[in-house]
């Protein structure tokens, strides 16, 4: 009797210790790192006690930059731009094929062949300037996503122009990192790849809370907060405040309208897009900024994504499914639910 009581007590203690251990495992520490890559500051946070995870993530980002950057002369994207032909690696193939799809699905509001034009404006570089109308028209002649073709068997051709995947590459990196983390059995991660926020894993408190950058306040100040219950989500913001220069009181920002050759003027300060794929959210955020809310809603009707448009006249236009999950912090804006 006494011995079995003792045994029960010991087993109970062991069970408690076991709970404590598995509890501790559930509450692994968060490891963080900042990485400057793809021309932007990235913040990586993972819940893991393996210090190699962040190394692997950083390596993967740099590897993708080496394949996809238009500023790296040896990248696959640069090779396709300069020779007009490429047999692509699996990652480059994936992002190029998605770029073609997004260009088709947005009627060219997103256009991966924008390279000659973005180079001409040089926004975000030391050489930023306002080009002449003739220069713009000459560059525009080379901008047409239909000149980028997938030929099958991993091969692509580009008959004119230069590629610039700046509107989708960071988002693509987000998806690749999620795959990497899943393959490593990582429980949770939060990544901010320069305005591309990706969350992975079960939300810590029923929802992930994602701040939407305020369009005219310093980085880190939020316009509002989104609460997302998904185990995997991306919220990508394109805004006029990201990269721009000013001449004679005019602000020239880095999202270019392929129909005019100039910085897009759609009455917006910013657009955020939420999808499960961060590459798609990134491509669409650039496209919706160019297209504006009305054409933007038409584009969204063909994609399983949600959006928040922030207009110059301080309205926050939000798609119906996202509306109940958004709380506004700056009362000088007004929320309107789109239909
Ligand atoms: P950010 O790079 O600030 O996150 P975006 O995702 O909107 O913002 O991408 C803007 C970048 O995409 C530009 O710097 C340029 O490289 C490229 N770009 C600009 N206009 C377009 C466009 N209409 N279609 C595709 N890419 C574009
Ligand atoms: Mg984008």
């Amino acid at each position: 009797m006494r011995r079995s009581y003792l045994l029960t007590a010991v087993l109970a203690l062991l069970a408690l210790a076991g709970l404590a251990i598995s509890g501790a495992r559930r509450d692994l520490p968060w490891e963080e790192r900042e990485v400057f890559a793809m021309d932007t500051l990235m913040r990586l946070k993972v819940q893991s006690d393996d210090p190699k995870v962040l190394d692997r993530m950083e390596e993967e980002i740099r590897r993708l930059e080496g394949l996809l950057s238009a500023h790296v002369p040896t990248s696959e994207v640069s090779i396709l731009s300069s020779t007009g032909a490429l047999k692509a690696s699996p990652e480059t193939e994936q992002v190029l094929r998605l770029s073609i799809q997004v260009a088709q699905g947005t009627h060219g509001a997103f256009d991966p062949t924008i390279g000659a034009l973005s180079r001409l404006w040089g926004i975000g570089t030391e050489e930023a300037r306002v080009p002449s109308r003739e220069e713009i028209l000459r560059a525009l002649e080379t901008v047409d996503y239909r000149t980028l073709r997938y030929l099958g068997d991993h091969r692509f051709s580009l008959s004119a122009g230069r590629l610039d995947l700046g509107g989708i590459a960071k988002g693509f990196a987000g998806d690749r990192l999620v795959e990497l983390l899943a393959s490593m059995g990582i429980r949770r991660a939060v990544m901010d790849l320069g305005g591309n926020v990706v969350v992975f894993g079960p939300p810590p408190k029923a929802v992930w809370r994602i701040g939407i950058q305020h369009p005219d306040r310093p980085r880190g100040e939020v316009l509002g907060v989104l609460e997302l219950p998904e185990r995997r989500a991306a919220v990508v913001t394109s805004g006029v405040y990201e990269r721009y220069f000013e001449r004679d009181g005019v602000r020239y920002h880095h999202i270019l309208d392929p129909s005019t050759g100039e910085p897009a003027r759609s009455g917006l300060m910013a657009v955020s897009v939420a999808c499960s794929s961060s590459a798609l959210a990134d491509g669409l955020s650039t496209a919706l900024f160019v297209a504006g809310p009305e054409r933007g809603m038409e584009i969204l009707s063909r994609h399983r994504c949600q959006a928040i448009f922030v207009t110059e006249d301080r309205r926050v236009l939000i798609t119906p499914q996202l509306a109940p999950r958004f709380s506004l912090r700056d009362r000088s804006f007004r929320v309107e639910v789109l239909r």
Side-chain angles (χ1 to χ4, degrees):
M1 183 70 197
R2 225 183 123 81
R3 267 179 58 194
S4 78
Y5 178 75
L6 196 69
L7 188 66
T8 314
V10 168
L11 284 177
L13 269 177
L14 279 175
L16 269 178
L19 263 184
I21 290 166
S22 65
R25 208 176 276 151
R26 228 175 277 135
D27 276 333
L28 284 171
W30 284 94
E31 300 283 338
E32 292 188 43
R33 182 173 300 180
E34 290 193 345
V35 174
F36 192 86
M38 297 186 166
D39 221 12
T40 195
L41 183 65
M42 304 184 165
R43 289 200 179 83
L44 312 175
K45 269 177 81 173
V46 287
Q47 206 171 17
S48 161
D49 53 4
D50 178 357
K52 293 215 175 59
V53 177
L54 286 167
D55 291 341
R56 289 282 306 277
M57 292 171 79
E58 185 172 344
E59 275 165 33
E60 181 65 3
I61 292 168
R62 298 201 187 284
R63 191 177 72 84
L64 292 172
E65 183 175 27
L67 292 173
L68 305 178
S69 173
H71 309 294
V72 175
T74 54
S75 74
E76 291 192 333
V77 158
S78 296
I79 290 169
L80 181 51
S81 288
S82 55
T83 67
L86 178 74
K87 180 150 186 171
S89 65
E91 292 79 13
T92 305
E93 174 177 338
Q94 227 183 321
V95 70
L96 285 176
R97 293 180 71 176
L98 181 67
S99 297
I100 294 171
Q101 278 170 24
V102 175
Q104 288 168 341
T106 63
H107 305 299
F110 172 87
D111 193 323
T113 67
I114 197 120
L117 197 63
S118 48
R119 202 187 238 193
L120 177 65
W121 281 89
I123 295 165
T125 73
E126 304 277 297
E127 282 91 49
R129 67 186 178 94
V130 183
S132 70
R133 194 64 212 152
E134 292 75 52
E135 288 175 300
I136 290 175
L137 290 176
R138 219 175 305 135
L140 260 186
E141 276 172 20
T142 72
V143 177
D144 182 351
Y145 63 91
R146 284 161 294 208
T147 64
L148 170 62
R149 307 226 335 254
Y150 179 58
L151 309 174
D153 191 28
H154 319 297
R155 293 176 189 279
F156 291 85
S157 67
L158 178 69
S159 55
R162 293 192 66 80
L163 296 174
D164 172 3
L165 301 185
I168 199 166
K170 283 176 282 171
F172 181 71
D175 285 341
R176 288 288 309 167
L177 290 175
V178 164
E179 281 167 40
L180 177 69
L181 294 170
S183 75
M184 295 175 85
I186 300 303
R187 184 167 165 79
R188 285 196 185 104
V190 179
M191 301 166 257
D192 184 345
L193 312 179
N196 293 235
V197 178
V198 183
V199 290
F200 169 71
K205 286 180 188 145
V207 289
W208 290 104
R209 294 169 51 80
I210 299 174
I212 301 296
Q213 172 65 42
H214 197 294
D216 51 24
R217 297 231 191 106
R219 189 173 276 257
E221 284 192 42
V222 301
L223 171 69
V225 176
L226 265 182
E227 294 190 335
L228 301 181
E230 284 87 359
R231 293 173 76 95
R232 173 180 178 171
V235 180
V236 177
T237 302
S238 287
V240 293
Y241 53 83
E242 280 290 340
R243 284 167 215 273
Y244 62 87
F245 70 100
E246 276 167 339
R247 281 290 172 289
D248 306 323
V250 180
R251 183 185 280 200
Y252 297 92
H253 62 78
H254 72 318
I255 303 167
L256 303 169
D257 185 339
S259 67
T260 63
E262 302 199 0
R265 280 190 219 113
S266 49
L268 296 174
M269 288 200 272
V271 182
S272 300
V273 177
C275 306
S276 62
S277 154
S278 101
L280 181 59
D282 194 4
L284 285 181
S285 75
T286 306
L288 296 192
F289 191 94
V290 171
E294 200 169 308
R295 276 176 57 214
M297 284 303 279
E298 192 254 316
I299 290 169
L300 279 172
S301 70
R302 281 175 274 134
H303 295 89
R304 263 192 287 174
C305 297
Q306 302 292 314
I308 302 175
F309 299 85
V310 183
T311 68
E312 285 167 351
D313 57 3
R314 299 181 99 71
R315 289 177 301 144
V316 178
L317 311 176
I318 185 162
T319 51
Q321 271 160 283
L322 216 51
R325 299 167 171 194
F326 178 74
S327 50
L328 183 71
R329 290 290 163 78
D330 179 346
R331 297 285 158 194
S332 71
F333 285 77
R334 200 176 72 234
V335 176
E336 288 173 27
V337 181
L338 290 159
R339 298 282 162 210

